[in-house]
């Protein structure tokens, strides 16, 4: 006995497209990525420069404020000068680093036995930090005011500049006779600086 089974199923064939991109789709994607990169890369460079100069000006302001508060806390003169703890006060290139210390003999020079409060490393990015008012040191007295070693009031500004030079992107760190410290754009009114 033979049994015949009939197959009543209907088969539907669906055309399946192979995955991937066509050459035109790939070229359009490359063009879009190129345009975004041309816009984004310069903006990223400015973002990095802006953050670096803000950080450096904030760090200097913080260390100046700390030195001033230490002068008032210890009732002594605190001096900050360009240099390192190993070299002492050296030159006028503040961008190479600076050292803050309790200036027990009031000569604005780091001598052995004087207490170092803080040491700052050289600035990144080949930035410059200069001051006509404080070429070799700045000193705070026990009352928080800024005065040179003869007792004459000190007031002025530091100019902090990066590769973009003087202008909106540069910073001025202003110190008043009373020892107050503020950060301004270098070309702002009252900044006290006119170049890098």
């Amino acid at each position: 006995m033979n049994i015949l089974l009939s197959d009543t199923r209907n088969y539907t064939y669906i055309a399946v497209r192979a995955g991937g991109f066509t050459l035109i789709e790939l070229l359009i994607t490359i063009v879009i990525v190129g345009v975004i990169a041309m816009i984004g890369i310069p903006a990223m460079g400015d973002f990095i420069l802006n953050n670096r100069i803000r950080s450096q000006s904030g760090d200097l302001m913080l260390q100046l404020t700390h030195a001033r508060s230490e002068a008032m806390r210890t009732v002594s003169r605190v001096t900050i000068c360009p240099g390192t703890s190993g070299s002492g006060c050296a030159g006028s290139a503040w961008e190479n680093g600076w050292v803050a210390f309790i200036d027990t003999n009031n000569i604005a020079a780091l001598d052995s036995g004087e207490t170092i409060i803080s040491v700052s490393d050289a600035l990144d990015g080949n930035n410059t930090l200069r001051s006509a008012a404080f070429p070799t040191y700045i000193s705070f007295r026990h009352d928080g005011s800024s005065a040179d070693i003869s007792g004459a009031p000190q007031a002025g500004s530091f100019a902090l500049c990066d590769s973009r030079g003087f202008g909106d992107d540069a910073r001025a760190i202003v110190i008043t006779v009373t020892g107050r410290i503020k950060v301004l754009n270098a070309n702002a009114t009252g900044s006290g600086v006119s170049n890098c």
Side-chain angles (χ1 to χ4, degrees), residues 47-65:
F47 176 77
I48 291 169
L49 291 173
N50 288 339
N51 280 342
R52 179 182 293 143
I53 204 159
R54 281 187 199 117
S55 172
Q56 290 172 349
S57 61
D59 185 48
L60 176 59
M61 181 177 174
L62 179 68
Q63 290 196 25
L64 289 169
T65 303

Side-chain angles (χ1 to χ4, degrees), residues 100-182:
F101 58 96
I102 296 177
D103 194 4
T104 54
N105 55 7
N106 297 331
I107 62 170
L110 179 59
D111 298 320
S112 63
E114 291 182 324
T115 304
I116 295 174
I117 296 170
S118 65
V119 178
S120 176
D121 294 328
L123 300 179
D124 293 335
N126 292 322
N127 290 3
T128 60
L129 179 64
R130 302 292 168 90
S131 176
F134 314 111
T136 56
Y137 74 94
I138 179 171
S139 235
F140 295 103
R141 298 189 308 184
H142 67 280
D143 61 358
S145 64
S146 175
D148 66 17
I149 55 176
S150 69
Q154 274 186 311
S157 303
F158 287 92
L160 175 61
C161 300
D162 60 16
S163 59
R164 296 172 290 185
F166 186 79
D168 289 336
D169 300 314
R171 297 287 179 266
I173 297 85
V174 182
I175 298 99
T176 65
V177 173
T178 61
R180 296 206 178 250
I181 304 154
K182 61 184 173 182

Side-chain angles (χ1 to χ4, degrees), residues 1 8 16 28 30 35 39 44-45 67-68 80 100 111-113 129-130 140 153 157 183 189 191:
M1 174 167 127
T8 59
V16 178
I28 289 171
I30 290 172
V35 169
I39 293 169
M44 185 60 149
R68 181 177 183 243
I80 305 170
D111 298 320
S112 63
L129 179 64
R130 302 292 168 90
F140 295 103
S157 303
V183 177
T189 303
S191 72

